[in-house]
Amino acid sequence: QVALLDVDICGPSIPKILGLEGEQQVHQSGSGWSPVYVEENLGVMSIGFLLNSPDDAVIWRGPKKNGMIKQFLRDVDWGEVDYLIVDTPPGTSDEHLSIVQYLSAARIDGVVVITTPQEVALQDVRKEINFCRKVKLPIIGVVENMSGFICPSCKNESLIFPPTTGGAEKMCKDLNIPLLGQVPLDPRIGKSCDEGKSLFSEAPDSPATVAYRNIIKMIVRDFKCTGQAQWSSCSSG
Amino acid sequence: QVALLDVDICGPSIPKILGLEGEQQVHQSGSGWSPVYVEENLGVMSIGFLLNSPDDAVIWRGPKKNGMIKQFLRDVDWGEVDYLIVDTPPGTSDEHLSIVQYLSAARIDGVVVITTPQEVALQDVRKEINFCRKVKLPIIGVVENMSGFICPSCKNESLIFPPTTGGAEKMCKDLNIPLLGQVPLDPRIGKSCDEGKSLFSEAPDSPATVAYRNIIKMIVRDFKCTGQAQWSSCSSG
């Protein structure tokens, strides 16, 4: 049983990506707000479900965003869940501090950090890794997105976002963090997201899908191995 | 005389992109903090100049970010400037509200909105446009980034981020906003940014450079024509 919480308050994309747009099945009951279910075992909450139009701006400063995040954790009737996955916006500010603070008693298993290969992106991601270390969040690993592009007509690979300083691989080595995988650029990813469909059914054999599967395997293996996200004890086992 | 202010407090990339990293020439004088100069007529301020290491995380909630932005506007000795360009992070939260609030007396000429072609991105950008309208900021126009990719070996174009709902062009038509231009994907863009070099000197004839030049022409023509960013009165003239 999995719960997915979108804490990108000003730019919620989870409803569209999961094909839940316009559903707005969030209703208040005696036991709280109910999540929207993609599948029986996957409930989702996002501020996107609470907007009248998907184009409405959420013009909120930090304290109001924090209040919403608290409500999502306290007032949503998540039921019994095995995993809560929280999707955050980039940065090291209110959303991140609030999630860490409000879930401190629950013990967060770990963080999956997403980057792209260029140094400009890695620089921000190193800040996020430093944030995790400062607030004592375990890092499950790093995923490198937009890792390269294979031309569909000539099969030549282009590194559109060149890893001028070694990309995620070098950063992970330097910082002693696991690299979970590298996902190539593929127009089918953007198309699936826009259409709210799963790449796993739309393009089951694409290199991107294979990369996603391997990333999932690595994370799950880690959880199975140790009962929690302590990578180092797992990868050596 | 141009001033460039980076208000991405948690992810400042302007120092690296402009090749100013490690310069940290910001010093306090009697007249305030001095900006870092790329050229005689281009002064820059970013929190990146104030960090001990480029990897240091800035773990600040909204109010502290707002305080920094206020200091950047009030305590920096910008000198006499013709234009102040403010680079914001994505969203409609503290940074955006603070800039609008602190510069309200100065009258902001307008906003250039950056998007990519997919609906998932356009959805966030429509929120930003709604924000501009709510706080009465004129919109100079929209730039579509990552608009397509021409394979260097076979010259075939791939729409890697497919415009499933018509891209920026359709959005601009729907919202009656000028489309300033479309910048293609090109590995030389990322490489120039990482190396702090200008694409205008590194690849002066690349399609991306041509696109940037045309966008600049459109913005400048607008300013020349009306003395301010009132596109509608200009594009008809």
Side-chain angles (χ1 to χ4, degrees), chain B residues 23-80:
Chain B
E23 301 242 344
Q24 301 186 318
Q25 303 160 334
V26 175
H27 43 237
Q28 184 99 40
S29 77
S31 53
W33 287 343
S34 68
V36 177
Y37 285 87
V38 192
E39 309 267 356
E40 258 183 40
N41 68 340
L42 177 57
V44 182
M45 183 51 75
S46 167
I47 197 168
F49 296 133
L50 308 173
L51 302 177
N52 286 323
S53 149
D55 300 343
D56 280 358
V58 182
I59 308 173
W60 289 359
R61 290 184 181 273
K64 216 166 159 189
K65 292 193 288 187
N66 300 331
M68 189 81 248
I69 293 170
K70 193 183 264 181
Q71 274 197 286
F72 281 156
L73 292 169
R74 200 185 48 190
D75 299 342
V76 173
D77 179 21
W78 290 106
E80 287 277 322

Side-chain angles (χ1 to χ4, degrees), chain A residues 21 60 93 123 127 164 194, chain B residues 21 54 60 93 123 164 194:
Chain A
E21 204 154 64
W60 289 0
S93 190
Q123 198 176 57
K127 289 183 202 299
T164 63
D194 275 7
Chain B
E21 206 154 63
W60 289 359
S93 191
Q123 198 177 56
T164 62
D194 276 5

Side-chain angles (χ1 to χ4, degrees), chain A residues 10-13 16-17 21 51 53-63 65-66 91-94 97-98 101 118-120 123-124 126-128 130-131 134 146 149 151-154 156 158-162 164-165 185-187 190-191 193-195, chain B residues 10-13 16-17 21 51 53-63 65-66 91-94 97-98 101 118-120 123-124 126-128 130-131 134 146 149 151-154 156 158-162 164-165 185-187 190-191 193-195:
Chain A
C10 296
S13 301
K16 169 159 283 300
I17 289 174
E21 204 154 64
L51 302 177
S53 148
D55 299 343
D56 281 358
V58 181
I59 308 173
W60 289 0
R61 289 186 183 273
K65 291 193 288 189
N66 300 331
T92 55
S93 190
D94 282 290
L97 282 165
S98 295
Q101 182 187 332
Q118 330 90 283
E119 176 57 25
V120 166
Q123 198 176 57
D124 288 353
R126 280 192 213 96
K127 289 183 202 299
E128 284 162 11
N130 277 330
F131 167 85
K134 277 219 171 123
M146 306 192 187
F149 176 67
C151 175
S153 54
C154 74
N156 187 57
S158 292
L159 298 177
I160 297 184
F161 298 104
T164 63
T165 57
L185 284 162
D186 186 329
K191 192 164 176 286
C193 288
D194 275 7
E195 293 173 352
Chain B
C10 297
S13 301
K16 169 159 281 302
I17 288 174
E21 206 154 63
L51 302 177
S53 149
D55 300 343
D56 280 358
V58 182
I59 308 173
W60 289 359
R61 290 184 181 273
K65 292 193 288 187
N66 300 331
T92 55
S93 191
D94 282 289
L97 282 164
S98 295
Q101 182 187 332
Q118 331 89 284
E119 176 56 25
V120 165
Q123 198 177 56
D124 287 353
R126 281 193 212 96
K127 289 183 202 299
E128 283 162 12
N130 277 331
F131 168 85
K134 277 218 172 125
M146 307 190 186
F149 176 68
C151 175
S153 55
C154 74
N156 187 58
S158 292
L159 299 177
I160 297 183
F161 299 104
T164 62
T165 57
L185 284 162
D186 186 328
K191 192 164 174 286
C193 288
D194 276 5
E195 293 173 353

Side-chain angles (χ1 to χ4, degrees), chain B residues 143-148 181-185 189 207-209 211-212 215:
Chain B
V143 172
E144 186 179 80
N145 205 358
M146 307 190 186
S147 267
Q182 294 168 297
V183 182
L185 284 162
I189 301 174
T209 311
Y212 285 133
I215 291 163

Side-chain angles (χ1 to χ4, degrees), chain A:
Chain A
Q1 205 66 26
V2 176
L4 174 59
L5 172 59
D6 179 7
V7 300
D8 194 339
I9 305 294
C10 296
S13 301
I14 293 287
K16 169 159 283 300
I17 289 174
L18 292 179
L20 300 172
E21 204 154 64
E23 300 241 345
Q24 300 185 322
Q25 302 160 333
V26 175
H27 42 239
Q28 184 96 42
S29 75
S31 53
W33 287 343
S34 68
V36 177
Y37 284 87
V38 192
E39 309 267 356
E40 258 182 41
N41 68 340
L42 176 57
V44 182
M45 183 52 74
S46 167
I47 196 167
F49 296 133
L50 308 173
L51 302 177
N52 287 322
S53 148
D55 299 343
D56 281 358
V58 181
I59 308 173
W60 289 0
R61 289 186 183 273
K64 217 167 158 188
K65 291 193 288 189
N66 300 331
M68 188 83 248
I69 292 169
K70 193 182 266 182
Q71 275 197 284
F72 281 156
L73 292 169
R74 198 186 48 190
D75 299 344
V76 172
D77 178 21
W78 290 106
E80 287 279 323
V81 295
D82 300 306
Y83 295 99
L84 168 66
I85 298 170
V86 181
D87 183 32
T88 71
T92 55
S93 190
D94 282 290
E95 298 85 346
H96 316 84
L97 282 165
S98 295
I99 277 291
V100 171
Q101 182 187 332
Y102 302 150
L103 291 180
S104 61
R107 194 186 58 86
I108 295 174
D109 288 306
V111 177
V112 175
V113 180
I114 318 291
T115 188
T116 52
Q118 330 90 283
E119 176 57 25
V120 166
L122 292 170
Q123 198 176 57
D124 288 353
V125 165
R126 280 192 213 96
K127 289 183 202 299
E128 284 162 11
I129 291 168
N130 277 330
F131 167 85
C132 291
R133 290 179 166 172
K134 277 219 171 123
V135 299
K136 304 206 191 317
L137 282 180
I139 295 168
I140 299 173
V142 173
V143 173
E144 185 178 81
N145 204 358
M146 306 192 187
S147 268
F149 176 67
I150 291 167
C151 175
S153 54
C154 74
K155 310 298 171 202
N156 187 57
E157 191 186 19
S158 292
L159 298 177
I160 297 184
F161 298 104
T164 63
T165 57
E169 195 173 351
K170 169 85 162 44
M171 179 189 73
C172 286
K173 204 170 279 177
D174 290 347
L175 299 177
N176 197 22
I177 295 172
L179 177 63
L180 298 173
Q182 294 169 297
V183 182
L185 284 162
D186 186 329
R188 290 170 287 187
I189 300 174
K191 192 164 176 286
S192 305
C193 288
D194 275 7
E195 293 173 352
K197 292 177 181 165
S198 167
L199 193 71
F200 289 77
S201 49
E202 297 297 299
D205 303 320
S206 74
T209 311
V210 172
Y212 286 132
R213 275 194 205 288
N214 286 332
I215 290 163
I216 294 166
K217 261 186 223 158
M218 285 187 75
I219 297 174
V220 171
R221 192 191 63 167
D222 186 37
F223 272 88
K224 272 195 190 145
C225 170
T226 65
Q228 68 180 86
Q230 288 177 336
W231 186 268
S232 54
S233 61
C234 193
S235 57
S236 62

